[in-house]
Structure formats: structure tokens, C-alpha cells
Amino acid sequence: MAKAITFSEKCSIGYSLIDLGYRDYIAARFLLNNRFVIQGLTLASTAVEKYLKALIVLSSNEKERYYHHFDNFKKLKALLSKNNWDVTERFDPVFLNILENAFKIRYYDKLDKPILIGFYVNQFIGELDDTIYFMETSAFKTQKNETPYRRAVHSNDTHLYHNNFTLSNQEKKTSWKNPMMDFPFIFELVL
């Protein structure tokens, strides 16, 4: 049986996860924007995962076993649903699938079949930016604490704003046409 979680525990754990998730997100953006795609995918996956775990912690009234990763996305989704906060329904399913596969390639020795990942890098960065923006402005809207993301927005941090269609108020498809970043990435991991 789960135990109640105190407000201070929620804040401590939840904001630690948000802080770590933001750091992974900024590192993922840097890597993806500089064509270190596999490394960027790995950190994008952990960033979104940490944001989802923060939402589970902050929306729950009991201590949850949220130690699942994108290898078991269904369990994370179930915890979000249990707390009436399944924000993943809003996310692009192809984007989520890429994040799941990105987690799997980290532990390739446990794969039972080959993995093929293909996408346009700028489009992926756009979906990542849109996802984190949504989490920060909608899912965590009621939270009063200043997050690293919000501080970066207020200070116009170049690591956050570089090639960020969401914060530049551009249409997604316009930003995807950036000739410097509009390149396909295809990766196949064969056993």
C-alpha cells in the first residue's frame, strides 16, 4: 500500500526532477543543433521522461513507484492517467515512439530485434521544444516556483532560444524548412 506524500517531499522531488529534466533538455538541444544526433536523442528521451516523472510526483497524493523509463512507457502513462494528468495524449505519437527507441538504443545488449529510427532533425527539435514548452506552461502552470526553464525564458538564454520555433512564435513547418538543419537522420541498430 502506498504511503501519503508530504507537500515538502513533493516539492523537493518534483522540482529536482524538473531541474534535471531541463538540464537534459538544453543539452539535447545543443547536441541536436550541432548534429550529434544519437547523443541528443538520448538526452531528449531522459529530459521528457524526467518532466513526466515530475508531473507524476507533483500531481499525486501518495508515493508512487515512478521509476519506469521509456522502455516501459505504458507504466509511466498509467501513473499519469491515475492522477488525471496524462499529458502524453497531446504529444505527437511519432515523437514518443522515437523517444522510446532512443531509450532502447542506450541498452542495445538487451534488444531482441533491430531498431530503425528515421526523422528530420529540425522537426524533432521542434517537437521537443513544443513538448517542454507545453509541460512548463500548461502542466506546471499552477506551480508557483520559478523553474530553470522560466528563468531561461526571462533572461533570453541563447541555449534555449537558438533554433526554437515555439519561443520565436514561428509556425512549425516554417521552422522545419531551415536549410541548415533540415536534414534527415536515419539510424539502424542491427543485432
Side-chain angles (χ1 to χ4, degrees), residues 9-160:
E9 286 175 314
K10 275 185 178 188
C11 290
S12 176
I13 296 167
Y15 288 109
S16 291
L17 286 165
I18 290 170
D19 183 64
L20 291 169
Y22 178 76
R23 291 169 191 266
D24 287 350
Y25 164 60
I26 289 300
R29 293 189 90 261
F30 175 83
L31 292 166
L32 290 164
N33 276 311
N34 288 285
R35 298 184 182 223
F36 292 98
V37 181
I38 294 292
Q39 296 81 1
L41 280 177
T42 300
L43 285 173
S45 177
T46 62
V48 173
E49 178 186 300
K50 286 173 185 162
Y51 268 89
L52 293 175
K53 288 177 178 181
L55 186 54
I56 290 167
V57 169
L58 292 170
S59 66
S60 180
N61 292 324
E62 30 184 61
K63 292 180 182 178
E64 298 284 1
R65 293 191 48 85
Y66 60 86
Y67 306 106
H68 311 292
H69 305 285
F70 264 105
D71 63 332
N72 205 333
F73 180 62
K74 289 179 183 176
K75 288 191 177 180
L76 282 174
K77 209 170 157 41
L79 286 171
L80 289 163
S81 292
K82 176 182 173 183
N83 295 312
N84 298 314
W85 269 104
D86 188 3
V87 295
T88 63
E89 294 296 325
R90 182 203 178 277
F91 301 160
D92 183 277
V94 174
F95 174 72
L96 288 173
N97 183 260
I98 293 169
L99 294 178
E100 287 179 81
N101 282 327
F103 182 87
K104 290 175 187 173
I105 63 175
R106 288 175 58 196
Y107 303 100
Y108 58 87
D109 56 329
K110 295 181 182 181
L111 292 177
D112 55 359
K113 62 182 180 180
I115 290 187
L116 177 66
I117 300 174
F119 57 89
Y120 283 93
V121 172
N122 216 35
Q123 183 177 351
F124 182 84
I125 294 169
E127 289 298 337
L128 177 62
D129 289 336
D130 192 52
T131 299
I132 299 300
Y133 176 82
F134 173 77
M135 295 287 287
E136 285 280 352
T137 60
S138 297
F140 299 126
K141 186 177 183 179
T142 61
Q143 304 301 319
K144 302 291 185 213
N145 290 17
E146 189 76 359
T147 65
Y149 181 93
R150 293 173 190 169
R151 284 191 297 274
V153 167
H154 296 308
S155 69
N156 293 316
D157 187 320
T158 56
H159 293 96
L160 178 61

Side-chain angles (χ1 to χ4, degrees), residues 161-178:
Y161 276 87
H162 174 72
N163 194 34
N164 190 323
F165 81 87
T166 302
L167 294 177
S168 301
N169 294 318
Q170 296 176 6
E171 291 291 322
K172 283 184 184 183
K173 294 193 191 250
T174 302
S175 69
W176 294 344
K177 293 179 183 173
N178 178 342

Side-chain angles (χ1 to χ4, degrees), residues 175-186:
S175 69
W176 294 344
K177 293 179 183 173
N178 178 342
M180 295 301 292
M181 287 300 298
D182 192 17
F183 67 94
F185 173 78
I186 299 173

